[in-house]
Amino acid sequence: AVGVHRTDGREEVIVVLDGQATVICEDERLTVRAHDVAYIPPDREHDVVNESDRPVVYVYVVAPVGKNSEPHSHNGLTHAH
């Protein structure tokens, strides 16, 4: 596990390259696999956990959300594949 943390004022995108992980964002749990993308809105406590017996490989991108940014309509964890 990465450890529960908050990216204050920043949104985060996790892209799974190989394996499987569980993304936990406050009260939501989402299983993501290779080629999946998870979006975590700003100011949300979250964690990435490998609950499998195989390694998980992923990259993450964190970007600030400033007062000049367009507001997002996302209120929770979003998944795409």
Side-chain angles (χ1 to χ4, degrees):
V2 172
V4 175
H5 62 285
R6 179 185 301 265
T7 49
D8 294 326
R10 295 170 287 171
E11 56 192 355
E12 184 170 334
V13 174
I14 296 171
V15 181
V16 180
L17 303 176
D18 192 33
Q20 176 179 308
T22 302
V23 179
I24 303 165
C25 183
E26 298 190 342
D27 295 335
E28 297 180 70
R29 295 176 67 89
L30 178 67
T31 300
V32 288
R33 296 171 180 83
H35 312 290
D36 286 351
V37 176
Y39 170 79
I40 300 168
D43 304 315
R44 302 291 172 92
E45 284 192 355
H46 60 281
D47 195 2
V48 179
V49 180
N50 182 357
E51 297 178 324
S52 73
D53 58 354
R54 293 189 44 218
V56 62
V57 179
Y58 67 94
V59 296
Y60 63 94
V61 178
V62 178
V65 177
K67 63 182 179 180
N68 294 329
S69 298
E70 290 294 319
H72 282 89
S73 61
H74 299 288
N75 291 323
L77 193 59
T78 302
H79 180 232
H81 43 152

